[in-house]
Amino acid sequence: MPKHAITLIPGDGTGPELAAAMQTAVEATGVDIEWHPVEAGSDVMDKYGTPLPDTVLESIRANKVAIKGPITTPVGTGFRSVNVALRKELNLYACLRPAFTLPGVKSRYEGIDLIIVRENTEDLYAGIEFEKGSDGALGLIDYLDSHGASVARDSGISIKPISVEATRRIVRFAFNYAIANGRKKVTAVHKANIMKHTDGLFLAVSREVAEEFSGSGIEFEDRIVDNMCMQLVQKPELYDVMVLPNLYGDIVSDLCAGLVGGLGIAPGANIGDEMAVFEPVHGSAPRYAGQNKVNPTAIILSAVLMLRHIDEREAADKLLAAVAAVIREGDQVTYDLGGSAGTSKMAEAIAAKIAVS
Ligand code: NAD
C-alpha cells in the first residue's frame, strides 16, 4: 500500500500542465504517494452541472490532504469561486503564504523571509452579497435607513462579518506556527481605526490571544493595513509572521509575492484542524493555457509545504534545494525568470537535480 494517498485537483487554465510538472518533481524525491485525481473548475461545468462536484470534497475528506492547480472564477457570472467554496466547505480556516527570497530570482529585494497567515472563512469573502436593486438590497437599505444610516438606493452591498471565534482561531494558529517554526514575532494587521466593530474586534481579540502566548517568547505588535503595505515595501526586514483578516491577507500576500519576484514563485496552503489543501497563490493565467510556458515553481513549492505537512521533511528539503539550484543556475527556467524553458522542461530539470543529489 502506498504510504500517502493525496487528492490531486489539476484545476483549469494553466492548472493541468502545472499539476503535471509538480508530479514530475515530487515523484523524483521517491516519496511513496498515490495520487487521486479529481476534476473541478469551469471546464467541468457541462459534465457535472457544478464547478465543484461532490467527488472532490469526498476525496479530500477521505485523504485529508490535497494539492491543487488554480481554478478560474469567471467575473460577473453566477458562480462563486471554487477556491473560496473549498476553503469554506472543508473549514480550511488558515491560509499560509510564505514569501522568501530564492537566490537567482530577479527582485528589488534580498533576504526576504515573511509568513502571511490569512483568515480564510469570513470577512468580505463570506459571500453575503446583495445585488443592486434586489429585494434583499432594498430591504437592507430600508432597515439601515430606519437606524439612521443612509445608503444610496442604487447600491450593491457586501457584508463583512468578523467573529471572535474565527479571529481567536487564526491568531492562535499564527502564534503556534511562529513557535513551531522558530519565528520571533507576530504582527496583526487591520484597519481598526475606521472599522471599529470588525477590524476593531480583530485587533482586540489578537491582543487577548497575544496575552495567552505572553510566555512563549514571541513578540506581538499590530499595524494598520495601509501603513503595513508601505512598511513592507520600505523595510520588509522588520517583519516576520503577519496575521490578517481575509481580504487584507489576500492583497498583502500578492504584495509580498511581488517583493520576492512575483506570483510564479509564491506557494500557499489552506489548513484546517483535519484537512489541508496546498495551492499556488497565483490564478489560472488563462492567457497562457496549453502553451507549456508558465512557471511551475509556485505549485512545486506548495508541494514542499505539503511534504512537510505529511512529515516527509527530507523529501521536502531535497525538493526545495533542487528548485533553488535550478533557479540559481538559470538556464532551465521559464520566461518570467528570464529563461526560455517551458513548464515541463523546468520540472524535469528540478527532478534531475534531485536524482543527482
Ligand atoms: P493570475 O495569477 O492567473 O495571472 C496574473 C498574471 O500573473 C498572469 O497573466 C501572468 O503574467 C502571471 N502569472 C500567474 N501565474 C504565473 C506562473 N505560474 N508563471 C508565470 N507567470 C504567472 O491572475 P488573474 O489573471 O487575476 O486570474 C485568472 C483567474 O484565476 C481568475 O479567474 C481568478 O479568479 C483565478 N484565480 C484563482 C486562484 C486559485 O485557484 N486559488 C487564485 C487567484 C486567481
Side-chain angles (χ1 to χ4, degrees):
M1 222 173 93
K3 202 164 159 208
H4 307 285
I6 291 180
T7 301
L8 174 66
I9 310 168
D12 58 29
T14 53
E17 54 208 275
L18 290 169
M22 179 278 300
Q23 282 180 285
T24 302
V26 170
E27 281 166 11
T29 67
V31 170
D32 192 10
I33 290 178
E34 182 177 271
W35 303 102
H36 292 191
V38 287
E39 295 179 303
S42 56
D43 296 350
V44 304
M45 272 296 281
D46 288 345
K47 192 163 160 193
Y48 298 101
T50 164
L52 183 58
D54 284 346
T55 44
V56 176
L57 297 171
E58 282 159 17
S59 175
I60 302 173
R61 287 195 179 104
N63 292 331
K64 312 284 183 222
V65 181
I67 185 158
K68 69 177 276 293
I71 295 178
T72 308
T73 308
V75 178
T77 64
F79 88 70
R80 286 195 44 228
S81 163
V82 171
N83 309 301
V84 174
L86 255 183
R87 294 168 199 159
K88 282 192 80 173
E89 285 286 332
L90 301 174
N91 204 14
L92 305 172
Y93 59 85
C95 178
L96 184 70
R97 291 180 166 176
F100 52 91
T101 302
L102 274 169
V105 176
K106 274 207 194 72
S107 153
R108 290 172 187 270
Y109 300 88
E110 284 169 13
I112 302 273
D113 185 11
L114 296 163
I115 302 288
I116 304 278
V117 176
R118 164 189 173 192
E119 204 288 324
N120 240 354
T121 64
E122 41 181 40
D123 191 1
L124 282 163
Y125 282 60
I128 311 168
E129 300 203 277
F130 299 91
E131 191 179 353
K132 166 184 72 89
S134 66
D135 288 351
L138 295 174
L140 192 52
I141 290 166
D142 288 341
Y143 172 82
L144 293 169
D145 195 43
S146 70
H147 284 73
S150 146
V151 174
R153 287 195 80 69
D154 59 352
S155 302
I157 300 177
S158 302
I159 303 279
K160 169 176 167 135
I162 292 199
S163 71
V164 170
E165 199 39 54
T167 304
R168 202 175 270 148
R169 174 171 84 168
I170 196 68
V171 181
R172 282 182 181 151
F173 180 96
F175 271 95
N176 285 323
Y177 180 91
I179 293 167
N181 292 278
R183 315 291 302 210
K184 305 262 176 316
K185 181 165 77 173
V186 171
T187 305
V189 184
H190 59 86
K191 187 84 186 170
N193 50 333
I194 304 293
M195 281 161 281
K196 298 190 191 309
H197 300 301
T198 47
D199 288 35
L201 179 151
F202 186 86
L203 175 59
V205 173
S206 296
R207 286 181 173 148
E208 278 170 33
V209 173
E211 272 303 304
E212 285 172 25
F213 286 88
S214 60
S216 66
I218 307 289
E219 194 189 327
F220 174 77
E221 64 180 9
D222 72 275
R223 290 283 179 277
I224 292 176
V225 62
D226 36 358
N227 179 28
M228 184 80 234
C229 290
M230 190 199 67
Q231 300 246 339
L232 280 170
V233 170
Q234 284 199 323
K235 27 191 171 177
E237 67 282 0
L238 294 187
Y239 297 94
D240 189 347
V241 177
M242 287 166 276
V243 60
L244 310 91
N246 210 334
L247 177 64
Y248 308 146
D250 196 9
I251 297 168
V252 173
S253 53
D254 268 35
L255 188 157
C256 291
L259 296 179
V260 296
L263 283 173
I265 58 163
N270 301 292
I271 302 173
D273 290 332
E274 289 172 45
M275 288 166 265
V277 176
F278 297 82
E279 63 175 340
V281 172
H282 64 72
S284 55
R287 197 148 64 94
Y288 297 112
Q291 295 178 26
N292 189 33
K293 186 168 174 172
V294 289
N295 190 344
T297 302
I299 194 167
I300 294 175
L301 293 179
S302 304
V304 169
L305 300 178
M306 178 185 81
L307 290 171
R308 290 205 181 113
H309 179 81
I310 61 174
D311 226 13
E312 292 284 0
R313 286 175 181 270
E314 204 182 310
D317 291 346
K318 267 199 230 168
L319 185 52
L320 177 58
V323 171
V326 167
I327 290 178
R328 204 169 43 240
E329 288 170 14
D331 52 353
Q332 297 282 4
V333 297
T334 46
Y335 75 98
D336 55 315
L337 298 179
S340 57
T343 309
S344 52
K345 260 272 168 300
M346 184 168 176
E348 284 157 21
I350 293 167
K353 277 274 175 262
I354 297 169
V356 297
S357 70

